[in-house]
Amino acid sequence: MKWSKGFSKTVLLALMLIIVGAGMFFYQRSYCEAEQPARYEPMQLRQVITTDSGTSRTVMWQTEKAESGSWLEYRLRVDAEQAPDSAVQKIAAQATDFQTDAGRIYQQSVTVTGLEPGKTYEYRVGSGKEFSKWETFKTDVGGAFTALIFGDSQSLDYNEWRKTAAYAYSHDPAATFFINMGDLVDNGEQYSQWRSWFRGAASLLPQIPVAPISGNHENYSLQWKPYNGELYLNLFDLPDNGPEGLKGQAYSYDYGNVHFAVVDTQLEELAQWQPDLIERQVKWLEQDLAASTKKWKVVLVHRNLFRYQDGRPNSLGLALMPVIDRNDVDVVFSAHNHTYGRSAPFKNGSVAAQGAIYISSGRSGDKTWAGSRAKPQEVAFDGVLEQPNYLKLTADNNKLTVTSLRQNGGLIDTVTLTK
Ligand SMILES: [Fe+2]
């Protein structure tokens, strides 16, 4: 068939239109993907620890008003070899709301499961068609890692907390999660303090998960009376693998080759709600530690386990230390007294050749205790009066190192355990 001149022109024009149209479509698409601004602004965006950080991660955030269509999208980090957005997964968020002294709080929570260990993921959150900017999280590779540990962050204005947290993370950007040892805030029922705490940790929370521990100040009401700690428990969707009915108060998790077990030490504050708190936790801790096959075992408590007067085990210590001894726990971290101290190995109620070492973490906020003194079993002590401090926990297969650093990075103490 011979094409007429007119017909050829029409075909050519149609082809050109198709090419220009396709070009515009792909240009617009790539422009949209690359340039469209994130318009969703989640408040207090945070990662929260799960039992297995190699395969799962919890992400939470607050919203201005009730939102039923919120979601989280995640994908393996886009790099040169990987096709963009080919494997984006989307999960609906769980919306909750609760009353506080600052009004009703609207919150979203998602737990991502089925992740690959040792990978970097990108995630963003949103509602409807609005979305936030991409953030990243890394899954536990199962080997060496560094975690940051912060003692009491309770403060007047949380500026020191912000400085301590930001300094620590900027100097150890490879840190994979952080622990807050309790007394995160001064008054656990006052929402404005929680806003300040979140603001102080804003450089960490979207990047690495927090593993918090409840302290006595989480259990004080606005009238400074015992309070059941509901607000703390609402703000962190923590593992539910502790004793029944104590979700978020007692729980355990693994990171690398280390098993961490958290025990709630607020026996007095919680007596009217949980009169058998210590008995239930002792039973659970025994089973939890015995069941772990991890090389290193760490117990985390807010109140320390020794009497201030003479350094002998207090009632908490008498209840927990036999379990700690029987299960060959390596390190017990505490907080509450706002000073740093490290004991010699301690077993069966006294210093021993082998046994757990007890480390009082210090303070990351602005509250000090000048009256605190070293206990007889402590081989290192610092009042951390001039500036706050933090701890760095570095673990690999054969070594566990704990280093205490001042807010400005100055060395206070370091200890390495080998096995
Ligand atoms: Fe405390």
Side-chain angles (χ1 to χ4, degrees), residues 152 183 216-217 302 336:
D152 307 54
D183 289 358
N216 52 308
H217 282 256
H302 175 69
H336 190 58

Side-chain angles (χ1 to χ4, degrees), residues 209-223:
V210 57
I213 298 167
S214 182
N216 52 308
H217 282 256
E218 273 67 65
N219 293 114
Y220 292 145
S221 72
L222 294 170
Q223 294 76 35

